[in-house]
Amino acid sequence: MAKSRFEYVRNYELPDPLMPGTFIVVRIDGRGFHKFSDTHAFEKPNDKRALDLMDKAAKTVLDEYKDVIMAFGESDEYSFLLKRNTKLYNRRRSKISSSIVSLFTSAYVFHWLSYFPNNPLRYPPSFDSRVIVYPGEKEVRDYFAWRQADTHINNLYNTAFWALVKDGQSTTQANKTLQGTDSKDKNEILFSKYGINYNNLPEQYRKGSICVRRPTIVIDDQQQQQQIEESTTAGVSNISIDDPAVGSVEDDSASQTRINGVIRKEKKVKKVKPYEGIDGEIVVLHEDIIKDGFWKERPWLLQ
Ligand code: DGT
Ligand code: MG
Ligand code: MG
């Protein structure tokens, strides 16, 4: 087919691939959320509705993109981790970055009224997005540790700050009161002046939100066989069995056996890599991701 004389401009679209075998993190952040949170009367320092809405938008991203295996959020930001060997959009930076932030934003707007039923949107919010690539597990863990440590530092500061303001200090005074204080001092101010035990505040505020897929239930061979038989007698032909330890998916090519006139289907179980077997329900957790425990329980995240 003949090309138009305008076609040459296509050559200005340069490829922007991300290095193979690296971990891709996409971080999105609310644009001008200082103003947005004021305009929409967010509670200070934390508005549970706003945080839950962020979590809902992040879950939408995990739902849509199976290669996004984990996300961490706090305040007006969310970080998404893609599996190391992802082939999503041929690892093209702009496609990955723009698709994720676009879906996140539309989900945020789409679900707004479910979280703020009496508080309609006054103007369209937007989020920026950046991509960071990390060479190894250490950097990925340190990245999420950095974001969670940031959550803690900001939340402790904001909790103390707004307690002082609610007590009558101006924002300038409260700022000054907290200048040069360390976390022990802030804890002390909260406890001795306002009876607030920081450690008793909701974990969502102190630790942020983690979205991950729950590993599917481990079932042994005997249970597997039983489940297959039950489902075929009940006329259900489509069951899936996953073993997070090994990783397995159902193979469509079921073989059929006729026993006493009843057709029994035997599903072949195909072995796949562990993280591909982890396709359970997406859950939102508020726990420590700095220590080893979280990562040891979910080795597929760093594979
Ligand atoms: P940016 O990101 O450079 O466009 O500017 P901002 O204004 O979005 O600033 P950023 O991202 O550093 O800080 C997040 C702002 O969002 C911060 O001013 C507090 C506000 N914010 C986030 N979550 C809440 C909340 O739950 N309650 C309240 N009151 N404010 C919140
Ligand atoms: Mg922001
Ligand atoms: Mg922010």
Side-chain angles (χ1 to χ4, degrees):
M1 204 164 51
K3 287 183 176 179
S4 82
R5 67 191 168 89
F6 309 118
E7 183 99 11
Y8 78 96
V9 291
R10 206 181 178 162
N11 298 328
Y12 285 76
E13 281 185 27
L14 299 177
D16 59 353
L18 295 163
M19 195 178 283
T22 52
F23 291 98
I24 299 170
V25 172
V26 178
R27 183 167 78 250
I28 61 99
D29 185 284
R31 179 171 165 266
F33 261 49
H34 184 74
K35 178 180 150 213
F36 184 83
S37 57
D38 269 353
T39 308
H40 293 87
F42 282 13
E43 281 160 24
K44 292 173 195 310
N46 290 290
D47 190 311
K48 179 150 174 60
R49 300 164 301 175
L51 296 173
D52 287 346
L53 174 58
M54 291 289 289
D55 295 345
K56 177 73 180 173
K59 277 177 85 174
T60 311
V61 171
L62 265 83
D63 245 337
E64 184 65 26
Y65 291 100
K66 301 298 170 217
D67 282 12
V68 175
I69 51 176
M70 174 189 164
F72 175 79
E74 56 147 330
S75 179
D76 67 339
E77 70 167 62
Y78 240 103
S79 301
F80 298 93
L81 174 68
L82 279 78
K83 73 178 185 193
R84 191 177 208 159
N85 66 353
T86 181
K87 302 275 185 298
L88 183 64
Y89 300 130
N90 283 327
R91 299 178 72 93
R92 288 160 65 188
R93 178 187 287 264
S94 341
K95 289 269 279 191
I96 292 173
S97 178
S98 60
S99 306
I100 287 179
V101 72
S102 160
L103 179 60
F104 185 93
T105 308
S106 70
Y108 189 92
V109 172
F110 187 77
H111 293 292
W112 173 269
L113 275 183
S114 311
Y115 292 82
F116 289 91
N118 304 314
N119 199 352
L121 272 174
R122 304 272 295 275
Y123 63 89
S126 62
F127 292 82
D128 68 34
S129 168
R130 72 196 67 186
V131 173
I132 316 111
V133 288
Y134 289 111
E137 294 170 29
K138 180 186 182 308
E139 292 80 8
V140 172
R141 278 197 50 178
D142 286 348
Y143 173 80
F144 285 104
W146 172 52
R147 295 327 298 145
Q148 191 166 56
D150 190 75
T151 309
H152 165 70
I153 292 164
N154 289 339
N155 188 57
L156 180 57
Y157 182 90
N158 291 337
T159 307
F161 179 85
W162 288 109
L164 292 167
V165 172
K166 278 174 195 161
D167 194 27
Q169 290 199 9
S170 70
T171 49
T172 323
Q173 277 173 327
N175 233 321
K176 219 166 155 205
T177 308
L178 294 175
Q179 239 172 39
T181 57
D182 60 16
S183 55
K184 205 167 136 269
D185 301 330
K186 291 186 193 77
N187 270 301
E188 188 53 31
I189 292 173
L190 282 172
F191 193 68
S192 57
K193 285 187 87 168
Y194 307 110
I196 299 171
N197 184 341
Y198 181 77
N199 288 328
N200 290 343
L201 294 181
E203 289 199 304
Q204 184 178 20
Y205 304 168
R206 291 184 290 118
K207 296 184 175 157
S209 299
I210 307 148
C211 296
V212 274
R213 290 186 185 84
R214 209 199 286 278
T216 36
I217 317 143
V218 185
I219 45 177
D220 61 30
D221 283 354
Q222 207 183 339
Q223 282 174 304
Q224 261 188 29
Q225 190 54 35
Q226 210 176 342
Q227 196 176 338
I228 289 165
E229 287 182 6
E230 276 166 12
S231 69
T232 43
T233 351
V236 181
S237 61
N238 215 6
I239 61 157
S240 79
I241 300 160
D242 296 293
D243 177 352
V246 186
S248 58
V249 290
E250 88 176 62
D251 185 343
D252 274 338
S253 61
S255 65
Q256 294 186 351
T257 337
R258 190 177 283 269
I259 307 165
N260 296 336
V262 179
I263 293 176
R264 293 259 156 105
K265 280 189 180 175
E266 283 165 24
K267 296 261 174 182
K268 282 184 198 156
V269 176
K270 198 164 68 181
K271 281 188 180 172
V272 295
K273 287 188 189 133
Y275 50 76
E276 283 167 341
I278 312 300
D279 57 359
E281 181 202 356
I282 298 158
V283 286
V284 181
L285 312 169
H286 312 291
E287 59 180 71
D288 190 297
I289 50 170
I290 298 176
K291 296 199 202 94
D292 291 342
F294 172 83
W295 302 96
K296 283 205 168 132
E297 278 172 38
R298 299 170 183 82
W300 63 89
L301 293 175
L302 297 172
Q303 271 162 6

